[in-house]
């Protein structure tokens, strides 16, 4: 269950890849497919919120356990960066945020997939900067 740790000698791109919690994102995508594929449309929003919040809470715990450094105290970098990355991926995919979808006809709502994509790119590109905010 060990994930690769970000090392100071890693390139910026390698750090981005290591900070993204692919297992959690895969779980979210899979569960989202089950939610959308279900027969009831009514509780979909509720299920999306439950899955999003549960995985958001689970992400830092999982990364704290899955990225230990033997003989060293644990850092908060990876769990914090992973939780931010997961939140950005979930935001970009829509999921529970679709309830805030912008409606052109009446001008209500604020969420668009364009905003989600922009947030995802910016968050993922900035993940290695977490090192400066959370020193070892």
């Amino acid at each position: 269950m060990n994930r690769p740790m970000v090392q100071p000698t890693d390139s910026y791109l390698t750090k981005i890849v290591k900070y993204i919690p692919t297992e959690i994102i895969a779980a979210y995508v899979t569960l989202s497919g089950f939610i959308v594929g279900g027969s009831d449309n009514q509780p979909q929003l509720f299920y999306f919120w439950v899955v999003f919040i549960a995985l958001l809470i689970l992400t830092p715990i999982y990364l704290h356990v899955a990225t230990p450094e033997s003989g060293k105290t644990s850092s908060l970098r990876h769990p914090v960066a992973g939780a931010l990355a997961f939140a950005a991926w979930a935001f970009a995919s829509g999921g529970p945020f679709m309830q805030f979808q912008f409606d052109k006809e009446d001008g209500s709502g604020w969420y668009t997939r364009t905003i989600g994509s922009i947030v995802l790119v910016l968050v993922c590109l900035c993940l290695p900067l977490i090192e400066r905010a959370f020193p070892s």
Side-chain angles (χ1 to χ4, degrees):
M1 182 160 128
N2 287 345
R3 294 186 94 248
M5 281 295 297
V6 174
Q7 302 300 324
T9 57
D10 288 342
S11 70
Y12 200 82
L13 181 60
T14 302
K15 288 179 183 181
I16 290 172
V17 171
K18 287 182 179 180
Y19 277 132
I20 295 173
T22 53
E23 305 91 349
I24 301 291
I25 293 169
Y28 179 77
V29 170
T30 302
L31 293 172
S32 294
F34 290 142
I35 292 169
V36 172
S39 59
D40 292 352
N41 287 337
Q42 206 62 316
Q44 277 188 3
L45 180 61
F46 173 76
Y47 293 145
F48 269 122
W49 278 112
V50 168
V51 167
F52 171 71
I53 291 169
L55 289 176
L56 187 62
I57 292 168
L58 179 65
T59 300
I61 296 167
Y62 172 76
L63 291 175
H64 182 72
V65 172
T67 57
E69 289 187 87
S70 57
K72 293 184 179 179
T73 58
S74 297
S75 171
L76 289 177
R77 287 183 203 157
H78 209 136
V80 169
L84 288 172
F86 167 69
W89 278 88
F91 185 71
S93 71
F97 302 99
M98 292 302 286
Q99 80 181 53
F100 306 111
Q101 181 84 24
F102 179 73
D103 187 355
K104 290 181 183 178
E105 291 180 15
D106 66 4
S108 65
W110 55 267
Y111 178 82
T112 65
R113 291 200 183 228
T114 302
I115 292 171
S117 297
I118 291 168
V119 167
L120 176 62
V121 169
L122 292 176
V123 167
C124 288
L125 286 176
C126 293
L127 286 177
L129 299 177
I130 298 277
E131 293 178 31
R132 294 184 182 159
F134 292 94
S136 293

Coordinates of all heavy atoms in Angstrom, one line a residue, residues 8 21 23 38 44 48-49 56-57 59 64-65 67 69 76-77 81 86 94 113 125 132:
P8 N 12.9 15.7 -2.7 CA 13.4 17.1 -3.1 C 14.1 17.1 -4.4 O 14.1 18.1 -5.1 CB 14.4 17.4 -2.0 CG 14.1 16.5 -0.8 CD 13.5 15.3 -1.4
P21 N -3.8 11.9 -6.0 CA -4.2 10.6 -5.4 C -5.0 9.8 -6.4 O -6.2 9.8 -6.4 CB -5.0 11.0 -4.2 CG -5.7 12.3 -4.7 CD -4.6 13.0 -5.5
E23 N -5.6 6.7 -6.8 CA -6.5 5.7 -6.3 C -7.9 6.3 -5.9 O -8.9 5.7 -6.1 CB -5.9 4.9 -5.1 CG -4.5 4.4 -5.4 CD -3.4 5.3 -5.1 OE1 -3.7 6.5 -4.8 OE2 -2.2 4.9 -5.1
G38 N -27.6 4.5 -11.8 CA -28.7 4.1 -11.0 C -30.1 4.5 -11.6 O -30.2 5.4 -12.4
Q44 N -29.7 11.2 -6.6 CA -28.3 11.3 -7.1 C -27.5 12.4 -6.5 O -26.3 12.1 -6.1 CB -28.4 11.5 -8.6 CG -28.6 10.3 -9.5 CD -28.4 10.6 -10.9 OE1 -28.1 11.7 -11.3 NE2 -28.6 9.6 -11.7
F48 N -24.0 11.8 -4.6 CA -22.8 12.5 -5.0 C -22.1 13.3 -3.9 O -20.9 13.2 -3.7 CB -23.1 13.5 -6.1 CG -22.9 12.9 -7.5 CD1 -24.0 13.0 -8.4 CD2 -21.7 12.4 -8.0 CE1 -23.9 12.4 -9.7 CE2 -21.6 11.9 -9.2 CZ -22.7 11.9 -10.1
W49 N -22.9 14.0 -3.0 CA -22.4 14.7 -1.9 C -21.8 13.7 -0.9 O -20.7 14.0 -0.3 CB -23.4 15.6 -1.3 CG -23.5 16.9 -2.0 CD1 -24.6 17.3 -2.7 CD2 -22.6 17.9 -2.1 NE1 -24.4 18.6 -3.2 CE2 -23.1 19.0 -2.8 CE3 -21.3 18.1 -1.6 CZ2 -22.4 20.1 -3.2 CZ3 -20.6 19.3 -1.9 CH2 -21.2 20.3 -2.7
L56 N -13.2 12.9 0.3 CA -12.4 14.1 0.7 C -11.8 13.9 2.1 O -10.7 14.2 2.4 CB -13.3 15.4 0.7 CG -12.5 16.7 0.9 CD1 -11.5 16.9 -0.2 CD2 -13.5 17.8 0.9
I57 N -12.6 13.3 3.0 CA -12.1 13.0 4.4 C -11.1 11.9 4.3 O -10.1 11.9 5.0 CB -13.3 12.7 5.3 CG1 -14.1 14.0 5.5 CG2 -12.8 12.1 6.6 CD1 -15.5 13.7 6.2
T59 N -9.1 10.9 1.9 CA -7.9 11.2 1.1 C -6.7 11.5 2.0 O -5.7 10.8 1.9 CB -8.1 12.3 0.1 OG1 -9.2 11.9 -0.8 CG2 -6.9 12.6 -0.7
H64 N -1.7 9.7 4.3 CA -0.9 9.7 5.5 C -0.4 8.3 5.8 O 0.8 8.1 6.2 CB -1.6 10.3 6.7 CG -0.8 10.3 8.0 ND1 0.2 11.3 8.1 CD2 -0.9 9.6 9.1 CE1 0.7 11.1 9.3 NE2 0.1 10.1 9.9
V65 N -1.2 7.3 5.6 CA -0.9 5.9 5.9 C -0.1 5.3 4.7 O 0.8 4.6 4.9 CB -2.2 5.1 6.1 CG1 -1.9 3.6 6.2 CG2 -2.9 5.5 7.4
T67 N 1.9 6.8 2.5 CA 3.1 7.5 2.1 C 4.1 7.7 3.3 O 4.6 8.8 3.5 CB 2.9 8.8 1.4 OG1 2.1 9.6 2.3 CG2 2.2 8.7 0.1
E69 N 7.5 7.5 5.5 CA 8.9 7.5 5.3 C 9.5 6.8 6.5 O 9.3 7.3 7.6 CB 9.5 8.9 5.2 CG 9.1 9.6 3.9 CD 9.8 10.9 3.7 OE1 10.9 10.9 3.2 OE2 9.2 11.9 4.1
L76 N 2.8 16.8 6.4 CA 1.5 17.0 6.0 C 1.4 17.4 4.5 O 0.3 17.5 4.0 CB 0.9 18.2 6.8 CG 0.6 17.9 8.3 CD1 0.1 19.2 9.0 CD2 -0.5 16.8 8.4
R77 N 2.5 17.5 3.9 CA 2.5 18.0 2.5 C 1.6 17.1 1.6 O 0.8 17.5 0.9 CB 3.9 17.9 1.9 CG 4.8 19.0 2.4 CD 6.1 18.8 1.7 NE 7.1 19.5 2.4 CZ 8.4 19.2 2.4 NH1 8.8 18.2 1.6 NH2 9.3 19.8 3.1
A81 N -1.9 18.1 -0.2 CA -1.8 18.3 -1.6 C -2.8 17.3 -2.3 O -3.5 17.6 -3.2 CB -0.4 18.1 -2.1
F86 N -7.8 16.0 -5.2 CA -9.0 15.3 -5.3 C -10.2 16.2 -5.4 O -11.1 16.1 -6.2 CB -9.2 14.3 -4.1 CG -10.6 13.8 -4.1 CD1 -11.1 13.0 -5.1 CD2 -11.5 14.2 -3.1 CE1 -12.4 12.5 -5.1 CE2 -12.9 13.8 -3.1 CZ -13.3 13.0 -4.1
G94 N -17.8 17.7 -12.2 CA -19.2 18.1 -12.0 C -19.8 17.5 -10.7 O -19.7 18.1 -9.7
R113 N -18.5 23.6 -16.4 CA -17.3 22.7 -16.5 C -16.1 23.4 -17.0 O -15.0 23.0 -16.7 CB -17.7 21.6 -17.5 CG -18.7 20.7 -16.9 CD -18.7 19.3 -17.5 NE -19.8 18.6 -16.9 CZ -19.7 17.3 -16.5 NH1 -18.5 16.7 -16.5 NH2 -20.7 16.7 -16.0
L125 N -1.2 22.2 -11.3 CA 0.1 22.8 -11.6 C 0.8 23.4 -10.3 O 2.0 23.6 -10.3 CB 0.0 23.9 -12.7 CG -0.2 23.3 -14.1 CD1 -0.5 24.5 -15.0 CD2 1.0 22.5 -14.5
R132 N 6.4 24.5 0.1 CA 6.8 25.8 0.7 C 5.9 26.2 1.9 O 6.3 26.8 2.9 CB 6.9 26.9 -0.3 CG 8.0 26.6 -1.3 CD 8.2 27.7 -2.3 NE 9.3 27.3 -3.2 CZ 9.5 27.8 -4.3 NH1 8.7 28.7 -4.8 NH2 10.4 27.3 -5.1

